[in-house]
Amino acid sequence: MTTMTEATGAMTLALHVNGRAVEVEVSPWKRLLDVLREDLRLTGTKEGCGEGECGACTVMIDGEAVNSCLVAAAQAVGHEVLTIEGLAATGGGGGAGGGEGGGQGALHAVQAALVKFGGTQCGICTPGIAMCAARVIEREPDASRARLRELMAGNICRCTGYQLIVDAVAEVAAQRRQGSGS
Amino acid sequence: MNRETNEAAAAVPPVGTSVPRVDGEAKVRGGALYVDDLPAPGALHGATVRSQVPHGVLRAIRRDPAFDWTDVVVATAADIPGKNTIYLIEEDQPALVPVGGRIRHVDEPVALVAAPTRRRAQEAAAHIILEVDELPAIHTIDDALRAEVVLHGADNVFKRFHIRKGGDVEAALAAADLIVEGTYWTGAQEQMYIEPQGMIARFDDDGSCHIVGSLQCPYYVHKAMKPLFGLADHQVVIAQSVTGGGFGGKEEYPSMIAAHAALLARVAGRPVKLVYDRDEDIGATTKRHPARVRHRMGLRRDGTIAAIDVDVVFDGGAYLTLSPVVLSRGVLHAAGPYRCETVRVVGRAVATNTPPHGAFRGFGAPQTTFAYERQIEKAARLLGLDPFEMRRRNMLRSGDATATSQVLTYSVGSDEVLESVAAASGEVGPRASGGGAAPPVRRGRGLAFYFHGAGFTGSGEQRLAGRATVALLPGGRFEVRSSSTDIGQGALTIFSQIAATALGVDIARVAIAEQSTGKVPDSGPTVASRTCMVVGGVVDRASTALRRRIEEWAAAHGLAGAPIAEAAEAMAAATAAAGVGGEEVAETAQYVPPPGIQWDDDTYTGSAYPVYGWACCLVDVAVDLDTYEVTVERCVHAVDVGRAIHPILVKGQIEGGTLQALGWALWESVVYQRGRVVNRRMTDCIVPTFADAPEMETILVEKPYPFGPHGAKGVGEIPMDGPAAAVANAIEDALGVPFDSLPVLPETIERALAGSAPTPARARSGR
Amino acid sequence: MTAYHRPSTLVDALRLRQAHPDHIVLAGGTDLLVSANRRPEPPGIIDVFGLVPLVTIVADRDGSVMIGAATTYAAILASDLVRRELPGLAAAAREVGALQIQARGTLGGNIATSSPVGDTLPVLLALDAVVEVASAARGDRAISYDQFITGYRTTALAPDELIVRVRFPPRPPDARHYWRKMGTRRAQSISKVMVAACAQVDGGVVRHVRLGLGAVADRPVRARAAEAAILGAAPGPAAAMAARAALAGEIRPIDDVRSTAAYRLAAAQNAVARFVESLAEPAPVPTS
């Protein structure tokens, strides 16, 4: 439900983020990325370029990986938004979590794998990478390494050279294929 | 005793194992706080007003009267209380160009604004008008050397170096059986850390200045802020926020941003957050130095090198900044890892009206490495020698002397890296395939063999005198204090491993203190492949000293032979019980140079670096003759790292650096028009994606360095130095045409195959 | 102060468009929202992302394939119908940006933005696509895509019209399809040259051919001279040479920050020639 508030130029937007209903008062044009980071203080989603090139701002809307810098906040009304803070404890299985900073709950399998395989270095691309990887292995668990690279090419990493990230995601995909959750 | 025994049993010495990185969980959860994530209550947002012309005299700074300035703060050079300079090596670069002063490059900072929102700050910045009398500008190395426009000194040369070994190099070349010569051009390269630069600054009521931000070297920023604001050491506190990549790009430029944020905070009387948008970051900040390297190599018929003569010119941009040091490393690597009795290397860093170039992984060595590995490949081709054999006949080995007459003694893994790549190499794919319905493809293989001096040059490490402290905390926990920053390479993790191993405790007992100048000593900057080898070594010694002290205390208090964790807990408890007056139990160690380092700064002879890393890279490429695109089908990289403290972290460093080098070779360039970066969005200033990167095969070679912690030596930069030459060598192998400039774009290949190639290297008999 | 409307029917959308010609029609936002935080706020948004009548992919009775304007590249890639009947469009959709862009970017958006480097646009030319638009005032009309482009980033769309769907007329079952994009890198890349082609060979000669080129002009173009050189010829090296020569005469690509005129011409010629050569061989077995 959306309501216009004429005087301030802001609207009351009813969003659903990480399984919870929240309301924000913002311009409908405000980028979802900025609403997450500023109005909801969910700073795990990052801005690297502002033009949909780097993927650091990747979130899921209705389960699809999208660049939140290219979504107007009002467009998210009536849809499920999942950010990195909500990825843990979405039932992706596979990793103990201490709940240190960011989201709470047991790590999603891709999060655990990124740590285990050295797929995170400076970490700025990591939330976007994790969100994309979570979507990719669910969508195509039998993707080859080459196919994984194609599917994740919307996330730029400058630190790793990608090799260890592919190792991590391929491992989780292999676990998915074998039907084990952890 | 069960808990302690269990801990002792469980404490596998972490050095050498790939423990989970200590900051990994926060990063995958999205909980790591980068500068733009930090709450800054009451802060204004800053924006920078920059010159749009490359060279001129600033006549006036005016505000558009039609704009509403009520909630906007403006700062100019006139507001700087101290010296208007960003201190680095010299004091030639201002924080802001003053009215009446000279603008020397496009995007040079002239004024600053702060406003309640980022959008408002950017709007305000767009309404500041600069009046500039333009002057003729120079943009290329050739322009700089011609010196029709003089920007610096009498001849535009910021710095010169001269390396000489043996006799007259012209005579030695004339006497050679074969001469290979070429001119090699490499362009600027953008570091493209995924986190743009930014700072948050505030002044407290007591006049102290507190800055936190994305940076590599808190003490560099500390040193730069003092003269700007007339502050003493204890009045400036610089802290690093979690930093999303640096690669050298956050070695020096953060001082500029910190100066701007702090100046705005001082004028506004409120904290200021100043974070760059991507296009501003690409446009205004430092890049790899563009270079022209003329390389002549005289060879004997048996394939050995008789003489090397190199002329190196680096484009430093508008100000000196770090160019002398980049040039130094470039010339010290220019003769390559090969035996040669007669060497001359001349280097110059020149001034142009370009945003100043600066540190980027490799720091001058990639440019000269590209030249010498193209040269050696051409030589091998002319002599009919296999590329591996060419290196075998010429490589430096233990006991050989470098171009600066340094006799290599320790940790020389030259043979090992070459032979491990040779063993892994196998066959190239089909040389020619496709045609008909499928695009025709040509395949080729290229090799590069190279070295990289670890740590600061010559007596640099001694002058830095890097220190680290390890302290005993309540509960028998430990804290490592050093200014070395984690910028992704895993410094926090390897220091934890080194300290835990030296202390003999579980790694979970070791914490790393925040990298704030208020909390940690100056360990030297996080650059030059020195963090593990040099600072890790200091951490090791401080930890060892602390362990000895705890053991001595334990022995004196009836706990002789107790597990160290138990002794530590007891000592911590006793210290706490002693009350407030008691001194903290901590040990500080300072860098001690290894024996035998003799270096002469005037003649540039002696031990340029305490030790070298060694590497060999093999690249197989496929060139599509319809699109001229190059695919890297295989990349094998062997690196001698001395000892891998954390194998996965080391592998990550090698692979990340390798891809940056492949990017420099094939995809990356910074395009300037009249001194302005025109490809300043990520769409146009591209770096490789998952789909561009090859599957990489990494071979870790360990030739322990006795003066590095557990045998480790520097690894951060070496993977950047060689792969670009391997790619160019592979493309030449595939197409039979030489490529002596980077990047080798499809456009370049198209022209070369159409017959418009630049003059290939000449080979002629010397007699 | 930005107004926001999310119509749930096409009629509502058209009424809003008529009432607010200054409102942005927003679907996937992959072009319109670039750097949105630094651009002036628009007076209003008409959000058609996911508008049901605009996201269908169906086959018409005559064999035409109809794709709704707000169909995302992801939906195009997931469609068996598109894969079978419009392989060039599927190939183009696969090379747009990357996963995240494909999840939001739409065919209608690509057409409305009308960039000279729009990835699907040369395919629309090669397949004789027809753009179907509508307005509240005048109802429906159909324009061949060829005529829909009127200049640099300009189309024949009136300020009160919306793009509703694209119709792809049926091709003969043995039609051959070709798509090649030369970008700056393997993904997330702006095109330097694009060639989309469709042809039919019968009795050893080319009976039908369309060549759509992108990134070689200020708009996507049909290479009519090259088509004429191929039509009626036997596929093979001679026809390929003739097509090369004709192409050189009719396109004038430019140097810009991304590439050079020489490269664009050479790569376009190579792609067209390759297509012509491929017609001499039997059609490849379709792979998934």
Side-chain angles (χ1 to χ4, degrees):
Chain A
M1 191 190 83
T2 61
T3 327
M4 278 294 293
T5 308
E6 297 244 351
T8 62
M11 290 177 72
T12 306
L13 299 179
L15 300 177
H16 215 264
V17 180
N18 296 336
R20 290 174 45 234
V22 289
E23 271 193 1
V24 293
E25 286 243 352
V26 295
S27 161
W29 179 251
K30 188 167 185 176
R31 302 178 308 172
L32 178 61
L33 172 65
D34 297 319
V35 171
L36 293 171
R37 289 179 55 79
E38 294 169 9
D39 300 277
L40 299 178
R41 291 302 306 163
L42 293 169
T43 58
T45 307
K46 310 297 181 189
E47 175 163 10
C49 73
E51 49 172 333
E53 280 294 317
C54 73
C57 68
T58 303
V59 301
M60 290 204 226
I61 295 182
D62 296 339
E64 296 295 341
V66 303
N67 295 315
S68 61
C69 74
L70 297 179
V71 178
Q75 294 190 291
V77 173
H79 298 280
E80 295 288 332
V81 178
L82 186 74
T83 74
I84 186 67
E85 289 89 346
L87 184 65
T90 55
E100 167 202 333
Q104 306 296 309
L107 290 177
H108 189 285
V110 298
Q111 289 172 302
L114 286 169
V115 178
K116 177 178 164 194
F117 283 82
T120 179
Q121 288 190 26
C122 83
I124 193 76
C125 77
T126 299
I129 294 262
M131 296 304 287
C132 183
R135 173 63 186 129
V136 163
I137 55 150
E138 183 201 307
R139 185 186 130 130
E140 282 187 45
D142 52 356
S144 64
R145 288 178 70 98
R147 177 70 176 147
L148 286 175
R149 287 173 177 276
E150 180 184 353
L151 289 168
M152 295 197 61
N155 292 83
I156 307 277
C157 173
R158 194 56 162 160
C159 290
T160 63
Y162 302 111
Q163 192 72 23
L164 294 170
I165 299 177
V166 178
D167 288 350
V169 180
E171 169 74 10
V172 178
Q175 285 167 6
R176 277 292 140 98
R177 288 198 294 277
Q178 286 158 26
S180 72
S182 57
Chain B
M1 289 296 135
N2 275 342
R3 185 173 63 82
E4 288 79 8
T5 314
N6 287 342
E7 178 166 348
V12 174
V15 165
T17 62
S18 294
V19 302
R21 57 180 301 147
V22 301
D23 52 355
E25 182 160 342
K27 284 174 174 173
V28 296
R29 284 186 185 277
L33 295 177
Y34 302 80
V35 67
D36 198 39
D37 303 328
L38 294 172
L44 297 175
H45 290 262
T48 311
V49 180
R50 299 178 180 278
S51 159
Q52 298 303 307
V53 304
H55 196 198
V57 178
L58 180 67
R59 288 291 169 224
I61 303 171
R62 295 194 294 104
R63 304 186 194 200
D64 180 352
F67 188 81
D68 177 12
W69 295 96
T70 30
D71 60 349
V72 179
V73 171
V74 180
T76 66
D79 296 302
I80 296 173
K83 259 181 146 173
N84 180 11
T85 185
I86 300 296
Y87 176 75
L88 195 54
I89 297 174
E90 301 249 350
E91 296 184 346
D92 64 330
Q93 186 178 32
L96 294 170
V97 180
V99 171
R102 194 168 278 216
I103 285 166
R104 294 180 178 272
H105 64 87
V106 173
D107 286 316
E108 184 162 13
V110 177
L112 304 164
V113 299
T117 66
R118 215 157 144 174
R119 187 190 269 272
R120 186 108 178 92
Q122 283 163 347
E123 280 169 4
H127 286 87
I128 299 255
I129 301 148
L130 304 180
E131 287 176 10
V132 183
D133 289 342
E134 267 199 80
L135 291 168
I138 53 174
H139 301 299
T140 66
I141 284 175
D142 286 334
D143 284 345
L145 292 173
R146 250 199 305 276
E148 282 156 12
V149 173
V150 178
L151 302 176
H152 180 92
D155 58 1
N156 286 328
V157 178
F158 281 129
K159 184 72 183 180
R160 280 184 170 74
F161 286 107
H162 212 130
I163 290 176
R164 261 205 188 87
K165 181 187 181 192
D168 177 7
V169 73
E170 294 292 352
L173 284 166
D177 295 325
L178 185 70
I179 295 177
V180 175
E181 57 188 291
T183 302
Y184 303 90
W185 293 88
T186 59
Q189 185 187 16
E190 160 58 40
Q191 296 85 348
M192 206 62 85
Y193 28 78
I194 303 298
E195 183 214 11
Q197 303 222 24
M199 293 284 162
I200 301 174
R202 72 169 202 273
F203 277 84
D204 282 353
D205 291 334
D206 61 1
S208 62
C209 176
H210 298 257
I211 305 175
V212 61
S214 190
L215 54 82
Q216 294 175 222
C217 312
Y219 274 98
Y220 275 10
V221 180
H222 186 265
K223 200 174 305 186
M225 294 306 101
K226 290 186 298 179
L228 268 163
F229 297 105
L231 295 172
D233 275 347
H234 67 281
Q235 294 179 294
V236 177
V237 181
I238 311 294
Q240 184 219 18
S241 44
V242 180
T243 294
F247 317 113
K250 293 176 183 171
E251 174 176 345
E252 74 245 55
Y253 204 82
S255 296
M256 178 72 76
I257 306 177
H260 293 168
L263 183 62
L264 279 169
R266 194 170 184 276
V267 171
R270 287 170 63 175
V272 170
K273 176 189 267 200
L274 181 52
V275 175
Y276 280 11
D277 285 318
R278 178 61 62 184
D279 56 349
E280 179 174 25
D281 202 310
I282 296 176
T285 69
T286 61
K287 311 274 172 286
R288 186 180 300 287
H289 286 65
R292 183 193 78 188
V293 181
R294 289 191 175 140
H295 202 292
R296 294 192 297 163
M297 191 182 267
L299 297 125
R300 304 181 190 92
R301 255 180 258 285
D302 67 359
T304 56
I305 303 170
I308 290 175
D309 184 24
V310 193
D311 180 274
V312 179
V313 186
F314 284 177
D315 178 350
Y319 294 104
L320 188 96
T321 61
L322 289 176
S323 292
V325 199
V326 178
L327 181 67
S328 164
R329 186 171 279 274
V331 303
L332 286 168
H333 289 76
Y338 299 115
R339 280 192 315 281
C340 181
E341 285 134 25
T342 310
V343 176
R344 176 175 66 186
V345 181
V346 172
R348 288 170 289 175
V350 299
T352 61
N353 293 112
T354 311
H357 296 295
F360 189 171
R361 196 174 204 164
F363 206 75
Q367 294 93 318
T368 53
T369 302
F370 178 69
Y372 72 67
E373 279 304 277
R374 284 291 295 134
Q375 285 283 98
I376 202 91
E377 188 82 355
K378 290 173 185 172
R381 198 177 283 274
L382 287 164
L383 290 162
L385 282 173
D386 164 78
F388 286 102
E389 182 57 28
M390 188 71 195
R391 273 64 171 201
R392 281 184 200 110
R393 290 195 192 178
N394 287 288
M395 69 162 63
L396 291 167
R397 295 183 171 85
S398 204
D400 290 332
T402 68
T404 62
S405 302
Q406 173 178 8
V407 176
L408 297 175
T409 324
Y410 303 109
S411 182
V412 184
S414 46
D415 267 310
E416 287 84 343
V417 296
L418 188 83
E419 299 309 334
S420 61
V421 171
S425 57
E427 294 300 316
V428 194
R431 286 283 176 170
S433 61
V441 170
R442 299 286 177 273
R443 289 187 174 77
R445 168 167 287 181
L447 193 69
F449 170 74
Y450 50 102
F451 66 162
H452 191 95
F456 265 49
T457 306
S459 47
E461 289 298 338
Q462 245 172 307
R463 273 182 275 115
L464 282 175
R467 287 172 299 130
T469 300
V470 182
L472 174 66
L473 299 184
R477 310 182 77 73
F478 297 90
E479 182 177 80
V480 176
R481 299 172 191 154
S482 118
S483 65
S484 295
T485 53
D486 201 313
I487 51 174
Q489 85 285 50
L492 304 181
T493 303
I494 59 172
F495 284 4
S496 303
Q497 290 174 280
I498 289 170
T501 299
L503 290 164
V505 301
D506 190 88
I507 197 172
R509 281 187 184 259
V510 178
I512 312 290
E514 181 195 9
Q515 275 69 45
S516 163
T517 58
K519 294 182 185 166
V520 300
D522 189 354
S523 316
T526 310
V527 304
S529 307
R530 63 186 293 278
T531 298
C532 177
M533 183 180 86
V534 174
V535 187
V538 176
V539 170
D540 193 33
R541 283 183 27 244
S543 304
T544 303
L546 184 59
R547 178 190 183 144
R548 205 171 11 243
R549 198 160 142 195
I550 294 171
E551 286 168 341
E552 283 164 9
W553 181 92
H557 291 80
L559 289 169
I564 187 70
E566 180 191 335
E569 283 175 19
M571 188 175 183
T575 310
V580 179
E583 228 183 81
E584 180 182 57
V585 177
E587 287 293 324
T588 297
Q590 179 170 302
Y591 174 73
V592 171
I597 305 264
Q598 303 244 11
W599 174 252
D600 186 327
D601 251 326
D602 297 318
T603 61
Y604 248 53
T605 53
S607 298
Y609 301 95
V611 70
Y612 294 79
W614 298 84
C616 182
C617 180
L618 178 141
V619 167
D620 287 342
V621 300
V623 185
D624 181 320
L625 293 185
D626 275 354
T627 65
Y628 312 102
E629 291 164 319
V630 176
T631 301
V632 178
E633 293 191 323
R634 194 151 174 247
C635 179
V636 183
H637 209 163
V639 183
D640 168 22
V641 304
R643 173 84 191 277
I645 302 288
H646 187 301
I648 281 182
L649 283 177
V650 172
K651 190 170 186 285
Q653 284 302 289
I654 292 170
E655 290 163 358
T658 301
L659 189 61
Q660 287 179 337
L662 297 177
W664 189 46
L666 290 171
W667 295 287
E668 299 181 36
S669 60
V670 183
V671 181
Y672 296 88
Q673 272 168 25
R674 282 181 284 116
R676 181 177 185 273
V677 178
V678 293
N679 62 331
R680 56 174 64 205
R681 304 185 312 152
M682 277 186 98
T683 306
D684 294 322
C685 192
I686 59 172
V687 298
T689 67
F690 271 97
D692 299 293
E695 293 282 332
M696 289 190 264
E697 299 157 55
T698 305
I699 301 169
L700 293 185
V701 172
E702 290 180 315
K703 213 64 193 206
Y705 172 51
F707 304 101
H710 301 275
K713 56 187 178 178
V715 67
E717 292 173 279
I718 188 168
M720 180 86 226
D721 293 344
V727 169
N729 290 342
I731 299 173
E732 178 168 9
D733 188 48
L735 301 179
V737 176
F739 292 92
D740 294 339
S741 307
L742 295 180
V744 184
L745 297 172
E747 287 76 4
T748 320
I749 294 175
E750 187 277 324
R751 284 291 83 196
L753 293 179
S756 309
T759 315
R762 297 192 305 281
R764 57 183 167 81
S765 170
R767 289 212 199 91
Chain C
M1 190 206 69
T2 305
Y4 177 78
H5 313 276
R6 189 191 297 184
S8 53
T9 67
L10 185 53
V11 168
D12 284 346
L14 292 172
R15 285 204 191 113
L16 285 164
R17 181 79 165 131
Q18 180 180 55
H20 305 285
D22 62 347
H23 282 16
I24 285 183
V25 178
L26 180 63
T30 58
D31 186 68
L32 292 174
L33 282 162
V34 170
S35 299
N37 59 325
R38 297 193 289 160
R39 291 165 37 171
E41 299 223 358
I45 302 167
I46 302 169
D47 183 2
V48 298
F49 188 80
L51 179 55
V52 169
L54 300 187
V55 299
T56 53
I57 305 178
V58 292
D60 207 353
R61 257 170 313 180
D62 70 349
S64 293
V65 178
M66 326 275 290
I67 301 182
T71 305
T72 62
Y73 300 113
I76 286 171
L77 283 169
S79 162
D80 285 334
L81 180 60
V82 171
R83 189 182 15 250
R84 269 199 327 270
E85 303 299 326
L86 312 173
L89 185 66
R94 186 170 175 175
E95 291 191 63
V96 171
L99 190 72
Q100 292 91 324
I101 298 288
Q102 293 167 10
R104 298 292 288 188
T106 64
L107 181 60
N110 211 217
I111 293 170
T113 298
S114 203
S115 160
V117 298
D119 288 300
T120 65
L121 308 184
V123 182
L124 304 186
L125 289 173
L127 297 180
D128 292 320
V130 176
V131 183
E132 298 187 357
V133 309
S135 65
R138 297 178 302 289
D140 307 334
R141 66 185 182 112
I143 312 121
S144 79
Y145 180 67
D146 203 8
Q147 278 152 22
F148 191 70
I149 317 163
T150 55
Y152 173 66
R153 289 183 172 260
T154 55
T155 70
L157 192 69
D160 65 343
E161 285 179 326
L162 289 177
I163 302 171
V164 176
R165 72 181 68 80
V166 181
R167 170 188 291 270
F168 295 86
R171 303 288 92 179
D174 60 346
R176 305 284 287 271
H177 299 263
Y178 179 86
W179 161 258
R180 193 89 205 251
K181 167 179 170 175
M182 282 136 282
T184 51
R185 55 187 172 182
R186 283 253 177 289
Q188 288 284 55
S189 90
I190 303 238
S191 295
K192 301 195 284 189
V193 182
M194 280 175 285
V195 174
C198 183
Q200 188 204 18
V201 178
D202 192 21
V205 299
V206 176
R207 299 286 174 206
H208 166 89
V209 62
R210 294 281 187 270
L211 295 171
L213 264 60
V216 298
D218 69 351
R219 68 196 79 178
V221 291
R222 280 266 302 275
R224 289 188 155 86
E227 289 172 2
I230 299 166
L231 191 65
M241 283 295 291
R244 275 181 184 278
L247 197 66
E250 71 178 319
I251 61 171
R252 295 275 175 277
I254 59 170
D255 292 339
D256 66 11
V257 69
R258 246 162 257 130
S259 187
T260 61
Y263 175 81
R264 288 178 159 123
L265 178 60
Q269 287 176 307
N270 292 341
V272 169
R274 186 67 46 211
F275 173 62
V276 174
E277 300 249 20
S278 75
L279 295 175
E281 299 181 18
V285 176
T287 55
S288 63

